[in-house]
Amino acid sequence: MKGRRPVGTRPVETGPVRMGPWRFVLWFGTVSLLADIVYEGARSVTGPLLASLGASALVVGVVTGAGEAAALGLRLVSGPLADRTRRFWGLTIAGYALTVASVPLLGAAGVLWVACALVIAERVGKAVRSPAKDTLLSHAAAATGRGRGFAVHEAMDQVGALIGPLFVAGMLALTGGDYGPALGLLALPGLAVLGLLYRLRARVPDPEAYEREAAATAVTASDHQAGDRRLPRVFWTYAAFTATTTTGLATFGVLSFHLVQRHLLSAAWVPVLYAAAMAVDALAALATGWLYDRHGPRVLIALPVLTAGVAMLAFTDTLGIAVAGSLVWGAAMGIQESTLRATVADLVPSDRRATAYGLFAGVVGAASLVGGALIGGLYGYSIPLLITVVVSAQVLAVVLLIVTGAPRR
């Protein structure tokens, strides 16, 4: 059931749906695949590119940190804005346009401050589009199965995350390290992103129709809470679970630091291991998405288990075990990027979903920041203590998940 629209806002564009829900998910996944080629290709060389323009390590750290803060923090604004205006397609297209324009311009930037501004602008584009994009996807996923819909989208997203950095690396090798052609050619998939988005909007101007049709034969969380402007209590408990488990998940930066500092792996092999972790990410997303649609949110118990496993495996001094820990990290990331987001859509009414996605991103971002600092600090002090703290946090996360008792669609 569709919730009440706030007074004074324009209605979302409506029209006949001329595409099946699975086709919509696949085409939307293609958009993300192409966009990931663009911005993950650029992000893979942000550090050396800024250094080539005279940036210090401090400047690189501040700029990239500010970009990530903008990508997550600004969703607290863009999410409620999407719900108030109902301009989901407009915000999605605007966010992607900012990203795909920033990357080729970054390759042409010859001045450090311009390059820094473009790095941050690319991340702002992600903040603008993400809550609206996730809401559009959630409507189609209501018909395909939320877990599977988000999982397929995440798997396609990761294909782009693999292709982009490899493409840029190949172009740099061909041009002798010239960033201009490498990033400039990324304008081509960027143009394809915008073309596909306009086509999708024309074919499916009102993706919420998918959810209305699915709701005709099944009771949803939205049916029980339509018109209530408050986010449900279960959402906040679920957010607490997410924050707790995310705090214990080490970043790949810390994992690779350990591998290189302990002389388990050379720096040249780190990108290869990262690519392998991204492949596991895609497989884990597909597996848990399918299980979520069959068994509900209880499958999310795998996330704290995997997170604890990362700490216990990745920080050993045995290469095989440490590499296995990095692959387990990839599996945890796959669940975090797909099934966690799918569950949000099952907990929150349609008319407040973009706001929920914005707040959820803020929770994940804050927990990632705290966790990164905590695990980085404990790594330098005591690895056994690090493992103990992470495992304890995951036990608490399991308790919070049980308390959440998230309803099925």
Side-chain angles (χ1 to χ4, degrees):
M1 181 184 299
K2 193 173 181 180
R4 293 181 303 184
R5 187 185 312 118
V7 176
T9 63
R10 293 183 178 183
V12 67
E13 183 180 6
T14 60
V17 173
R18 297 192 296 273
M19 182 180 291
W22 266 120
R23 287 187 64 196
F24 182 87
V25 169
L26 291 173
W27 278 111
F28 218 51
T30 303
V31 168
S32 289
L33 187 157
L34 292 169
D36 263 47
I37 291 175
V38 177
Y39 69 79
E40 293 290 7
R43 292 180 73 198
S44 69
V45 294
T46 295
L49 186 152
L50 293 179
S52 71
L53 296 174
S56 64
L58 176 60
V59 170
V60 172
V62 169
V63 170
T64 55
E68 292 308 308
L72 292 167
L74 290 179
R75 296 185 209 188
L76 297 173
V77 177
S78 62
L81 178 64
D83 276 335
R84 285 198 303 270
T85 64
R86 315 304 290 170
R87 299 296 188 185
F88 299 111
W89 277 119
L91 287 167
T92 299
I93 292 172
Y96 274 118
L98 181 55
T99 288
V100 301
S102 298
V103 169
L105 291 174
L106 180 61
V111 181
L112 178 58
W113 73 266
V114 174
C116 292
L118 289 169
V119 169
I120 295 173
E122 184 274 310
R123 295 283 82 193
V124 170
K126 187 172 182 64
V128 169
R129 71 179 178 263
S130 289
K133 180 199 74 172
D134 285 344
T135 301
L136 293 174
L137 179 61
S138 75
H139 294 319
T144 64
R146 284 247 162 78
R148 284 173 291 180
F150 275 88
V152 168
H153 183 271
E154 169 65 9
M156 297 181 72
D157 188 88
Q158 290 307 306
V159 171
L162 289 173
I163 295 174
L166 293 176
F167 171 80
V168 170
M171 285 298 300
L172 290 176
L174 288 174
T175 61
D178 189 347
Y179 294 102
L183 299 183
L185 284 175
L186 292 177
L188 297 178
L191 290 173
V193 166
L194 297 179
L196 279 175
L197 283 170
Y198 279 108
R199 181 176 184 273
L200 279 173
R201 186 176 68 172
R203 295 289 299 276
V204 190
D206 180 22
E208 195 173 357
Y210 293 125
E211 188 160 351
R212 290 194 295 269
E213 292 172 4
T217 56
V219 179
T220 70
S222 298
D223 291 322
H224 294 298
Q225 302 176 48
D228 188 346
R229 301 304 299 162
R230 298 172 300 176
L231 290 173
R233 182 178 301 175
V234 69
F235 168 78
W236 295 109
T237 309
Y238 180 69
F241 154 74
T242 301
T244 304
T245 191
T246 301
T247 299
L249 185 59
T251 65
F252 187 78
V254 176
L255 302 185
S256 59
F257 177 88
H258 171 78
L259 289 166
V260 173
Q261 288 297 308
R262 296 298 178 95
H263 305 291
L264 300 176
L265 204 64
S266 68
W269 279 97
V270 169
V272 177
L273 178 59
Y274 182 78
M278 292 299 96
V280 173
D281 176 316
L283 293 174
L286 291 170
T288 56
W290 181 81
L291 289 170
Y292 175 83
D293 287 335
R294 291 179 63 89
H295 303 292
R298 72 186 70 175
V299 303
L300 291 175
I301 198 170
L303 183 55
V305 171
L306 291 171
T307 299
V310 171
M312 292 187 287
L313 297 173
F315 296 115
T316 65
D317 289 330
T318 302
L319 175 60
I321 298 176
V323 167
S326 295
L327 297 180
V328 171
W329 173 85
M333 289 299 297
I335 298 173
Q336 187 180 85
E337 292 293 327
S338 60
T339 314
L340 277 184
R341 290 159 52 211
T343 307
V344 171
D346 277 339
L347 297 177
V348 178
S350 175
D351 63 344
R352 295 288 287 160
R353 198 167 293 158
T355 297
Y357 275 122
L359 289 169
F360 191 72
V363 168
V364 173
S368 298
L369 177 61
V370 172
L374 177 65
I375 293 173
L378 289 175
Y379 176 83
Y381 180 74
S382 169
I383 289 180
L385 179 59
L386 183 159
I387 295 171
T388 300
V389 170
V390 169
V391 171
S392 299
Q394 301 319 299
V395 171
L396 176 59
V398 171
V399 173
L400 288 170
L401 180 62
I402 293 171
V403 171
T404 298
R408 286 302 314 279
R409 292 192 298 117

